[in-house]
Amino acid sequence: MEKAAVGEHSISMMNRAVMALSGVTDVSEFSDVKVMLKTTMGDLCIKGKKLSINQLNTENGTLDVRGEIHSMQYTTGSRDGFFAGLFK
């Protein structure tokens, strides 16, 4: 498989139990209920039950997660919006 180009990121999920991701640069936190990872499109938090990482390939940026997937949420770390202007 070719190395993902900078900025490319994709997610494929089957039956809320198997998730394949590309564009993964790092896994910062992992437990059976939460996986925090860095992608080329921002930080991503995956929550669920009995989560496991079946495969992580940092060379091509792929990750496979299995378990009972409840949610996923991107966090960017940028300070946009109302409060951004107050704290400049």
XYZ file of all heavy atoms in Angstrom:
664
model
N 0.845 -1.177 0.000
C 0.000 0.000 0.000
C 0.888 1.237 0.000
O 1.884 1.306 0.699
C -0.890 -0.024 1.242
C -1.915 1.057 1.270
S -3.053 0.763 2.650
C -4.343 1.839 2.136
N 0.513 2.257 -0.773
C 1.311 3.473 -0.874
C 1.146 4.341 0.359
O 0.118 4.316 1.017
C 0.873 4.271 -2.107
C 1.193 3.580 -3.405
C 0.748 4.401 -4.586
O 0.567 5.614 -4.438
O 0.569 3.816 -5.661
N 2.168 5.118 0.634
C 2.113 6.050 1.751
C 1.100 7.142 1.438
O 1.058 7.670 0.329
C 3.498 6.650 1.994
C 3.576 7.441 3.246
C 5.002 7.790 3.552
C 5.051 8.503 4.872
N 6.409 8.667 5.342
N 0.250 7.474 2.417
C -0.795 8.478 2.216
C -0.164 9.845 2.009
O 0.818 10.202 2.644
C -1.728 8.523 3.419
N -0.711 10.608 1.076
C -0.233 11.960 0.826
C -0.586 12.840 2.012
O -1.531 12.572 2.747
C -0.878 12.506 -0.450
N 0.186 13.888 2.216
C -0.067 14.809 3.322
C -1.466 15.382 3.174
O -1.854 15.854 2.113
C 0.981 15.941 3.320
C 0.656 16.980 4.364
C 2.367 15.364 3.534
N -2.240 15.309 4.239
C -3.594 15.852 4.225
C -4.672 14.828 3.934
O -5.820 15.059 4.249
N -4.335 13.697 3.322
C -5.352 12.686 3.034
C -5.715 11.937 4.306
O -4.848 11.567 5.094
C -4.853 11.691 1.990
C -4.794 12.257 0.607
C -4.419 11.211 -0.416
O -4.265 10.028 -0.057
O -4.270 11.577 -1.580
N -7.015 11.747 4.483
C -7.507 11.052 5.672
C -8.837 10.422 5.314
O -9.686 11.058 4.691
C -7.670 12.055 6.813
C -8.366 11.520 8.026
N -7.928 10.414 8.722
C -9.481 11.941 8.652
C -8.752 10.194 9.737
N -9.703 11.106 9.712
N -9.027 9.160 5.694
C -10.311 8.510 5.430
C -10.662 7.572 6.575
O -9.794 7.116 7.320
C -10.270 7.722 4.117
O -9.402 6.621 4.230
N -11.975 7.329 6.698
C -12.495 6.401 7.703
C -13.505 5.495 7.020
O -14.371 5.958 6.287
C -13.200 7.144 8.857
C -12.221 8.035 9.594
C -13.868 6.158 9.812
C -12.869 8.898 10.654
N -13.392 4.216 7.298
C -14.355 3.237 6.830
C -14.804 2.431 8.038
O -13.973 1.935 8.794
C -13.704 2.325 5.793
O -14.578 1.282 5.440
N -16.133 2.312 8.213
C -16.647 1.581 9.369
C -17.677 0.563 8.915
O -18.520 0.852 8.071
C -17.274 2.539 10.384
C -17.682 1.835 11.647
S -18.184 2.859 13.058
C -18.459 4.468 12.449
N -17.600 -0.629 9.512
C -18.560 -1.679 9.200
C -19.271 -2.104 10.477
O -18.619 -2.492 11.458
C -17.847 -2.887 8.574
C -18.811 -4.009 8.202
S -17.980 -5.486 7.581
C -17.246 -4.867 6.099
N -20.590 -2.006 10.474
C -21.443 -2.482 11.568
C -21.080 -1.888 12.931
O -21.289 -2.531 13.956
C -21.413 -4.013 11.657
C -21.944 -4.664 10.409
O -22.832 -4.146 9.756
N -21.371 -5.794 10.056
N -20.537 -0.699 12.955
C -20.124 -0.029 14.197
C -19.198 -0.899 15.033
O -19.086 -0.739 16.247
C -21.337 0.385 15.031
C -22.139 1.502 14.395
C -23.303 1.907 15.231
N -22.874 2.318 16.575
C -23.722 2.660 17.524
N -25.014 2.636 17.314
N -23.266 3.030 18.703
N -18.487 -1.829 14.388
C -17.620 -2.745 15.120
C -16.201 -2.803 14.577
O -15.286 -3.178 15.293
C -18.220 -4.147 15.109
N -16.013 -2.441 13.311
C -14.695 -2.485 12.688
C -14.475 -1.151 11.984
O -15.292 -0.740 11.159
C -14.584 -3.641 11.667
C -13.221 -3.642 11.008
C -14.875 -4.970 12.323
N -13.373 -0.487 12.316
C -13.073 0.813 11.729
C -11.659 0.780 11.159
O -10.721 0.368 11.842
C -13.186 1.913 12.789
C -12.926 3.298 12.263
S -13.007 4.565 13.571
C -14.757 4.651 13.822
N -11.531 1.191 9.898
C -10.225 1.300 9.246
C -9.984 2.773 8.943
O -10.843 3.437 8.354
C -10.200 0.478 7.970
N -8.829 3.286 9.371
C -8.508 4.692 9.178
C -7.203 4.830 8.412
O -6.303 4.011 8.553
C -8.342 5.398 10.530
C -9.539 5.379 11.463
C -9.387 4.320 12.511
C -9.723 6.722 12.087
N -7.112 5.894 7.623
C -5.853 6.253 6.982
C -5.541 7.693 7.363
O -6.409 8.427 7.832
C -5.946 6.113 5.459
O -6.796 7.106 4.929
N -4.302 8.098 7.174
C -3.891 9.445 7.546
C -3.614 9.592 9.027
O -3.621 10.689 9.569
N -3.351 8.479 9.711
C -3.064 8.493 11.147
C -1.564 8.743 11.333
O -0.734 8.067 10.728
C -3.467 7.152 11.803
C -3.066 7.119 13.264
C -4.959 6.917 11.644
N -1.234 9.734 12.180
C 0.173 10.046 12.425
C 0.655 9.568 13.790
O 1.844 9.348 13.976
C 0.423 11.558 12.297
O -0.410 12.252 13.231
C 0.108 12.038 10.886
N -0.265 9.393 14.754
C 0.146 8.980 16.098
C -1.077 8.556 16.903
O -2.161 9.087 16.709
C 0.846 10.140 16.810
C 1.452 9.750 18.147
O 1.914 8.597 18.279
O 1.456 10.585 19.055
N -0.893 7.601 17.802
C -1.917 7.244 18.785
C -1.432 7.787 20.114
O -0.404 7.368 20.629
C -2.138 5.716 18.859
C -3.124 5.373 19.970
C -2.627 5.176 17.531
N -2.164 8.779 20.670
C -1.706 9.446 21.886
C -2.254 8.823 23.158
O -1.665 8.967 24.223
C -2.043 10.938 21.839
O -3.414 11.124 21.610
N -3.395 8.133 23.069
C -3.996 7.513 24.252
C -4.826 6.324 23.801
O -5.498 6.373 22.773
C -4.887 8.529 24.971
C -5.528 8.053 26.235
C -6.419 9.126 26.869
O -6.168 10.321 26.676
O -7.386 8.723 27.543
N -4.810 5.255 24.606
C -5.583 4.074 24.256
C -6.055 3.366 25.516
O -5.289 3.161 26.450
C -4.742 3.104 23.415
C -5.405 1.774 23.231
C -6.490 1.639 22.393
C -4.970 0.666 23.925
C -7.123 0.423 22.238
C -5.588 -0.567 23.780
C -6.662 -0.680 22.930
N -7.337 3.025 25.543
C -7.901 2.156 26.574
C -9.023 1.356 25.920
O -9.309 1.534 24.740
C -8.430 2.971 27.762
O -9.626 3.636 27.423
N -9.682 0.507 26.700
C -10.766 -0.289 26.111
C -12.032 0.526 25.891
O -12.990 0.034 25.295
C -11.051 -1.534 26.954
C -11.561 -1.213 28.344
O -11.309 -0.094 28.843
O -12.212 -2.081 28.935
N -12.060 1.794 26.337
C -13.238 2.648 26.126
C -12.940 3.904 25.309
O -13.858 4.604 24.898
C -13.892 3.058 27.473
C -14.451 1.859 28.193
C -12.923 3.816 28.345
N -11.641 4.198 25.049
C -11.318 5.420 24.307
C -9.990 5.281 23.570
O -9.022 4.770 24.118
C -11.250 6.609 25.268
C -10.932 7.927 24.599
C -11.228 9.119 25.490
C -10.126 9.423 26.435
N -10.313 10.710 27.132
N -9.974 5.768 22.321
C -8.749 5.844 21.532
C -8.597 7.290 21.070
O -9.486 7.830 20.419
C -8.792 4.901 20.303
C -7.515 5.023 19.490
C -9.042 3.467 20.715
N -7.490 7.922 21.454
C -7.181 9.288 21.013
C -6.043 9.183 20.017
O -5.016 8.562 20.300
C -6.729 10.148 22.191
C -7.796 10.419 23.222
S -9.028 11.607 22.668
C -8.052 13.063 22.455
N -6.232 9.778 18.840
C -5.193 9.701 17.834
C -5.064 10.999 17.075
O -5.974 11.828 17.081
C -5.445 8.531 16.883
C -6.831 8.424 16.254
C -6.758 8.744 14.790
C -7.335 7.025 16.465
N -3.917 11.161 16.456
C -3.653 12.330 15.634
C -3.726 11.895 14.183
O -3.161 10.872 13.800
C -2.279 12.908 15.955
C -2.166 13.420 17.380
C -0.835 14.096 17.616
C -0.683 14.550 19.047
N -1.696 15.443 19.523
N -4.451 12.692 13.399
C -4.559 12.424 11.971
C -4.083 13.662 11.211
O -3.852 14.718 11.802
C -6.018 12.118 11.552
O -6.786 13.322 11.544
C -6.664 11.099 12.471
N -3.989 13.524 9.919
C -3.591 14.655 9.083
C -4.665 15.737 9.049
O -4.390 16.849 8.613
C -3.290 14.186 7.648
O -4.440 13.503 7.138
C -2.082 13.266 7.619
N -5.855 15.436 9.546
C -6.958 16.400 9.555
C -7.336 16.834 10.967
O -8.388 17.418 11.177
C -8.186 15.796 8.862
C -7.959 15.392 7.424
S -7.493 16.759 6.346
C -9.011 17.659 6.295
N -6.500 16.557 11.957
C -6.765 16.955 13.338
C -6.805 15.764 14.273
O -6.710 14.614 13.853
N -6.951 16.061 15.551
C -7.041 15.013 16.565
C -8.419 14.365 16.504
O -9.419 15.036 16.248
C -6.810 15.591 17.953
C -5.390 16.113 18.147
O -4.537 15.822 17.288
O -5.147 16.801 19.138
N -8.459 13.067 16.759
C -9.708 12.306 16.690
C -9.841 11.465 17.951
O -8.899 10.786 18.354
C -9.715 11.400 15.452
C -10.912 10.481 15.257
C -12.209 11.265 15.094
C -10.693 9.584 14.041
N -11.037 11.511 18.556
C -11.339 10.710 19.738
C -12.430 9.703 19.366
O -13.499 10.092 18.895
C -11.820 11.610 20.872
S -12.288 10.702 22.365
N -12.131 8.432 19.562
C -13.088 7.356 19.304
C -13.465 6.768 20.656
O -12.596 6.397 21.443
C -12.469 6.259 18.411
C -12.005 6.858 17.084
C -13.463 5.119 18.197
C -11.123 5.936 16.274
N -14.786 6.703 20.946
C -15.253 6.155 22.214
C -16.127 4.937 21.966
O -16.807 4.848 20.944
C -16.040 7.204 22.995
C -15.182 8.347 23.478
C -15.980 9.311 24.318
C -15.092 10.445 24.801
N -15.843 11.401 25.626
N -16.110 4.015 22.926
C -16.914 2.808 22.812
C -16.649 1.859 23.958
O -16.262 2.277 25.049
N -16.850 0.583 23.699
C -16.607 -0.474 24.677
C -15.764 -1.554 24.030
O -15.881 -1.807 22.829
C -17.917 -1.106 25.152
C -18.779 -0.230 26.017
C -20.011 -1.001 26.468
C -20.921 -0.118 27.307
N -22.163 -0.836 27.657
N -14.917 -2.181 24.839
C -14.080 -3.297 24.382
C -13.285 -2.943 23.126
O -13.145 -3.750 22.210
C -14.926 -4.542 24.141
C -15.656 -5.025 25.374
C -16.508 -6.235 25.066
C -17.320 -6.636 26.292
N -18.257 -7.705 26.001
N -12.761 -1.713 23.068
C -11.998 -1.278 21.906
C -10.610 -1.915 21.916
O -9.994 -2.082 22.967
C -11.854 0.247 21.899
C -13.155 1.053 21.799
C -12.854 2.545 21.873
C -13.910 0.708 20.533
N -10.152 -2.271 20.741
C -8.805 -2.804 20.594
C -8.217 -2.304 19.286
O -8.935 -2.075 18.316
C -8.802 -4.339 20.624
O -9.491 -4.856 19.510
N -6.908 -2.116 19.291
C -6.198 -1.747 18.074
C -5.635 -3.034 17.493
O -4.791 -3.677 18.103
C -5.076 -0.732 18.371
C -5.680 0.579 18.834
C -4.210 -0.536 17.135
C -4.663 1.633 19.234
N -6.146 -3.403 16.326
C -5.686 -4.639 15.707
C -4.438 -4.433 14.878
O -3.608 -5.316 14.796
C -6.784 -5.249 14.841
C -7.829 -5.930 15.685
O -7.754 -5.928 16.907
N -8.801 -6.515 15.040
N -4.329 -3.269 14.252
C -3.164 -3.019 13.420
C -2.883 -1.526 13.391
O -3.787 -0.714 13.209
C -3.397 -3.527 12.003
C -2.211 -3.334 11.089
C -2.471 -3.854 9.694
O -3.603 -4.092 9.305
N -1.418 -4.009 8.934
N -1.629 -1.167 13.568
C -1.169 0.210 13.437
C 0.079 0.179 12.583
O 1.046 -0.511 12.909
C -0.849 0.821 14.804
C -0.143 2.173 14.793
C -1.003 3.233 14.115
C 0.209 2.604 16.205
N 0.037 0.892 11.466
C 1.186 0.979 10.581
C 1.541 2.452 10.435
O 0.856 3.197 9.739
C 0.876 0.350 9.229
C 2.092 0.287 8.330
O 2.940 1.171 8.341
N 2.165 -0.768 7.540
N 2.594 2.874 11.119
C 2.964 4.291 11.088
C 3.643 4.680 9.780
O 3.680 5.857 9.441
C 3.893 4.634 12.271
O 5.008 3.758 12.262
C 3.157 4.510 13.589
N 4.161 3.715 9.040
C 4.794 4.032 7.753
C 3.789 4.524 6.729
O 4.044 5.482 6.014
C 5.541 2.824 7.212
C 6.864 2.596 7.892
C 7.698 1.565 7.161
O 7.566 1.428 5.929
O 8.483 0.894 7.838
N 2.634 3.858 6.643
C 1.629 4.309 5.674
C 0.432 4.982 6.343
O -0.511 5.365 5.670
C 1.186 3.174 4.744
C 0.485 2.052 5.456
O 0.071 2.188 6.601
N 0.331 0.925 4.784
N 0.443 5.132 7.673
C -0.585 5.892 8.380
C -1.920 5.201 8.512
O -2.957 5.853 8.559
N -1.931 3.872 8.600
C -3.197 3.148 8.726
C -3.375 2.592 10.129
O -2.417 2.278 10.818
C -3.287 1.998 7.705
O -2.210 1.089 7.920
C -3.270 2.531 6.278
N -4.639 2.489 10.521
C -5.004 1.978 11.845
C -6.317 1.227 11.726
O -7.246 1.685 11.056
C -5.161 3.149 12.825
C -5.707 2.823 14.216
C -4.646 2.109 15.036
C -6.127 4.096 14.922
N -6.400 0.063 12.369
C -7.641 -0.707 12.445
C -8.069 -0.785 13.904
O -7.284 -1.192 14.756
C -7.458 -2.127 11.906
C -7.243 -2.156 10.403
O -7.595 -1.168 9.729
O -6.722 -3.166 9.901
N -9.306 -0.384 14.183
C -9.878 -0.426 15.529
C -11.075 -1.364 15.496
O -11.896 -1.299 14.573
C -10.309 0.983 16.001
C -10.986 0.919 17.359
C -9.125 1.925 16.031
N -11.192 -2.201 16.517
C -12.341 -3.106 16.635
C -12.965 -2.939 18.007
O -12.296 -2.561 18.958
C -11.917 -4.554 16.421
C -11.466 -4.824 15.015
C -11.064 -6.270 14.824
N -10.493 -6.437 13.505
C -11.157 -6.946 12.471
N -12.392 -7.357 12.624
N -10.579 -7.063 11.302
N -14.245 -3.213 18.096
C -14.981 -3.121 19.339
C -16.366 -2.547 19.092
O -16.834 -2.490 17.959
N -17.015 -2.128 20.136
C -18.351 -1.529 20.064
C -18.175 -0.011 19.996
O -17.974 0.650 21.011
C -19.150 -1.924 21.296
C -20.607 -1.560 21.245
C -21.333 -2.046 22.496
O -21.152 -3.227 22.879
O -22.071 -1.233 23.078
N -18.214 0.543 18.788
C -17.922 1.956 18.569
C -19.184 2.788 18.800
O -20.201 2.571 18.144
C -17.362 2.182 17.162
C -16.059 1.377 17.011
C -17.122 3.671 16.896
C -15.572 1.224 15.598
N -19.103 3.720 19.755
C -20.242 4.570 20.098
C -20.173 5.948 19.456
O -21.191 6.500 19.047
C -20.356 4.735 21.612
C -20.670 3.465 22.325
N -20.647 3.350 23.682
C -21.007 2.229 21.876
C -20.965 2.122 24.046
N -21.181 1.423 22.956
N -18.976 6.528 19.407
C -18.859 7.879 18.853
C -17.437 8.154 18.395
O -16.501 7.471 18.794
C -19.267 8.928 19.888
O -18.316 8.994 20.935
N -17.327 9.175 17.556
C -16.023 9.700 17.172
C -16.168 11.196 17.000
O -17.194 11.682 16.520
C -15.490 9.032 15.913
C -16.358 9.118 14.731
S -15.610 8.162 13.409
C -16.925 8.247 12.229
N -15.148 11.925 17.459
C -15.219 13.379 17.436
C -13.844 13.946 17.134
O -12.844 13.551 17.733
C -15.706 13.912 18.774
C -15.800 15.416 18.820
C -16.314 15.923 20.151
O -16.475 15.157 21.102
N -16.578 17.196 20.226
N -13.815 14.900 16.203
C -12.571 15.599 15.882
C -12.403 16.793 16.808
O -13.374 17.483 17.117
C -12.585 16.099 14.438
C -12.409 15.001 13.432
C -13.500 14.377 12.848
C -11.143 14.583 13.066
C -13.337 13.362 11.921
C -10.962 13.573 12.145
C -12.063 12.968 11.576
O -11.898 11.960 10.671
N -11.178 17.021 17.228
C -10.835 18.228 17.965
C -9.663 18.858 17.234
O -8.724 18.166 16.834
C -10.451 17.926 19.422
O -9.360 17.001 19.424
C -11.614 17.317 20.180
N -9.699 20.160 17.060
C -8.672 20.807 16.253
C -7.635 21.529 17.079
O -6.532 21.754 16.619
C -9.302 21.823 15.283
O -9.986 22.802 16.049
C -10.232 21.152 14.312
N -7.998 21.942 18.290
C -7.059 22.695 19.094
C -6.979 24.152 18.706
O -6.278 24.932 19.325
N -7.694 24.564 17.660
C -7.671 25.967 17.273
C -8.599 26.763 18.167
O -9.573 26.247 18.700
C -8.092 26.135 15.812
O -9.444 25.775 15.643
N -8.288 28.026 18.351
C -9.081 28.870 19.243
C -9.922 29.822 18.402
O -9.666 31.019 18.344
C -8.152 29.626 20.182
C -7.463 28.684 21.142
C -6.392 29.322 21.927
N -6.788 30.590 22.511
C -6.150 31.206 23.468
N -5.071 30.675 23.967
N -6.557 32.366 23.930
N -10.926 29.283 17.742
C -11.820 30.082 16.916
C -13.057 30.452 17.710
O -13.387 29.836 18.699
C -12.241 29.295 15.663
C -11.063 29.007 14.757
O -10.096 29.795 14.791
O -11.109 28.009 14.023
N -13.750 31.460 17.231
C -15.016 31.830 17.843
C -14.900 32.989 18.806
O -13.935 33.748 18.816
N -15.900 33.131 19.655
C -16.041 34.265 20.562
C -14.848 34.438 21.497
O -14.287 35.520 21.633
C -17.326 34.103 21.375
C -17.500 35.154 22.425
C -17.853 36.450 22.077
C -17.304 34.867 23.766
C -18.011 37.432 23.039
C -17.454 35.825 24.734
C -17.816 37.114 24.360
N -14.433 33.375 22.153
C -13.363 33.472 23.155
C -11.991 33.713 22.536
O -11.091 34.190 23.207
C -13.342 32.218 24.027
C -14.549 32.138 24.917
C -15.545 31.225 24.642
C -14.693 32.976 25.997
C -16.666 31.148 25.444
C -15.804 32.913 26.803
C -16.803 31.999 26.542
N -11.813 33.383 21.267
C -10.504 33.593 20.619
C -10.122 35.067 20.619
O -8.974 35.417 20.847
C -10.533 33.049 19.193
N -11.086 35.929 20.385
C -10.818 37.366 20.379
C -10.510 37.928 21.756
O -9.774 38.908 21.882
N -11.050 37.342 22.788
C -10.846 37.831 24.154
C -9.440 37.560 24.673
O -8.921 38.308 25.478
C -11.849 37.178 25.111
C -13.309 37.573 24.924
C -14.167 36.773 25.875
C -13.494 39.054 25.147
N -8.824 36.466 24.210
C -7.552 36.051 24.779
C -6.360 36.272 23.863
O -5.344 35.651 24.009
C -7.625 34.565 25.171
C -8.673 34.308 26.224
C -9.827 33.633 25.893
C -8.499 34.771 27.519
C -10.811 33.399 26.850
C -9.472 34.545 28.468
C -10.630 33.866 28.143
N -6.449 37.195 22.933
C -5.322 37.512 22.043
C -4.365 38.433 22.732
O -4.637 39.216 23.536
C -5.811 38.135 20.743
C -6.372 37.104 19.813
C -6.676 37.727 18.487
C -7.150 36.666 17.517
N -7.423 37.167 16.224
